[in-house]
Amino acid sequence: MSVLLALHDVERSFLMGDEPITALDKINLTVETNDYLALTGTSGSGKSTLMNILGCLDRPTTGRYLFRGADVAAMNDEQLAALRSREIGFIFQNFNLLTRATALQNVMQPLIYQGVRRSERERMARTALAKVRLEHRMQHLPNQLSGGQRQRVAIARALCSAPSLLLADEPTGNLDSVTTAEIMALFDELHTEGHTLIVVTHDHNIAARCRRHVRLLDGRIADALTPMEDVGA
Ligand SMILES: Nc1ncnc2c1ncn2[C@@H]1O[C@H](COP(=O)(O)OP(=O)(O)O)[C@@H](O)[C@H]1O
Ligand SMILES: [Mg+2]
């Protein structure tokens, strides 16, 4: 497997008034192509801050972030936005769908920014919706879909442009256990097909089924466990 991304001594701090808050402290992490990584930690431990940096929505205060060997710090906003749109798919706890747009329109939407022709956008979106088994719900609005179906629309949207990395921040946080199992089965399938996934979760059952598990504590990596070591965690 080849290295997709690497963080070297990454720090991210915020100013709260005059007080600096260190949200991430000396993070070192390497993620390979087709990795399947669970990221856990208590609330405030820095998970979302780390996901934002990994997803190029934010930059480290100090330290290096290399994506396919290229230093993200050296990129301007335009280059960063292009990297984000081509290489990274995001999945959020609250689905973040456009409420007045159909499932199909939601999935097509990011492709507009990539300059994909309309007919091609629709073809790609239909393929992605079929992939998450929603071909029978393409013309539905989000409020006509169940929570699990909404999350599958969001997954189709993330998958649509064939990104190198899928980042999911508490993707099952708003779902019941049956729907959670469906979404995780879909993630397992994507991993088997060669996708690279990083999943933030509070659920140890979810963490245990990923290939690797990294735990954050107060902005630092507390430990990195393989699934075998994770039993009983
Ligand atoms: N934009 C911000 N401004 C100020 N502080 C922030 C900001 N984002 C995160 N933080 C702080 O950084 C720490 C980590 O937050 P976060 O990454 O959201 O944790 P988690 O996702 O694990 O709950 C918290 O102390 C939080 O208050
Ligand atoms: Mg968070």
Side-chain angles (χ1 to χ4, degrees):
M1 277 193 277
S2 60
V3 172
L4 178 63
L5 63 89
L7 301 177
H8 298 288
D9 286 335
V10 161
E11 231 181 273
R12 178 68 170 101
S13 46
F14 299 100
L15 270 184
M16 288 292 277
D18 294 338
E19 281 291 291
I21 292 181
T22 304
L24 294 176
D25 192 9
K26 303 255 174 352
I27 299 286
N28 287 288
L29 181 69
T30 300
V31 174
E32 296 184 326
T33 302
N34 197 213
D35 220 333
Y36 190 10
L37 183 79
L39 189 60
T40 63
T42 54
S43 182
S45 59
K47 303 180 299 294
S48 293
T49 303
L50 181 55
M51 292 294 262
N52 288 343
I53 287 177
L54 290 170
C56 299
L57 292 165
D58 186 21
R59 278 185 258 226
T61 310
T62 63
R64 281 172 20 110
Y65 177 21
L66 303 179
F67 194 96
R68 292 193 191 286
D71 194 341
V72 167
M75 295 180 195
N76 60 31
D77 288 348
E78 202 177 317
Q79 290 168 320
L80 210 58
L83 172 72
R84 199 163 57 225
S85 119
R86 267 201 323 270
E87 304 268 23
I88 295 161
F90 293 95
I91 298 149
F92 302 96
Q93 178 170 359
N94 296 321
F95 323 130
N96 289 11
L97 299 176
L98 301 170
T99 54
R100 291 167 197 275
T102 63
L104 186 64
Q105 289 165 337
N106 266 285
V107 177
M108 286 169 65
Q109 205 243 353
L111 298 171
I112 296 173
Y113 301 110
Q114 296 181 30
V116 181
R117 279 188 295 125
R118 200 202 137 81
S119 57
E120 181 65 3
R121 286 205 301 273
E122 182 161 340
R123 191 193 62 76
M124 290 165 77
R126 284 179 182 277
T127 304
L129 281 162
K131 170 78 210 157
V132 299
R133 293 179 274 278
L134 279 181
E135 50 276 88
H136 57 305
R137 291 286 185 274
M138 299 210 201
Q139 302 303 337
H140 286 58
L141 296 170
N143 69 8
Q144 298 170 320
L145 299 170
S146 69
Q149 289 172 337
R150 288 181 208 182
Q151 193 57 299
R152 275 150 60 196
V153 173
I155 293 169
R157 180 181 58 186
L159 283 174
C160 201
S161 50
S164 331
L165 176 64
L166 286 171
L167 296 175
D169 196 345
E170 303 265 6
T172 61
N174 285 347
L175 303 177
D176 62 55
S177 61
V178 173
T179 314
T180 293
E182 278 171 28
I183 295 296
M184 288 314 298
L186 182 55
F187 282 169
D188 289 353
E189 191 181 316
L190 294 173
H191 172 241
T192 304
E193 288 171 4
H195 286 277
T196 309
L197 296 105
I198 302 180
V199 184
V200 168
T201 180
H202 276 120
D203 185 334
H204 279 289
N205 293 322
I206 292 180
R209 68 195 286 164
C210 295
R211 198 175 74 84
R212 281 202 296 150
H213 177 187
V214 166
R215 197 172 304 167
L216 283 181
L217 181 66
D218 298 334
R220 291 169 183 256
I221 292 183
D223 43 31
L225 304 171
T226 62
M228 284 312 288
E229 295 167 319
D230 208 26
V231 173

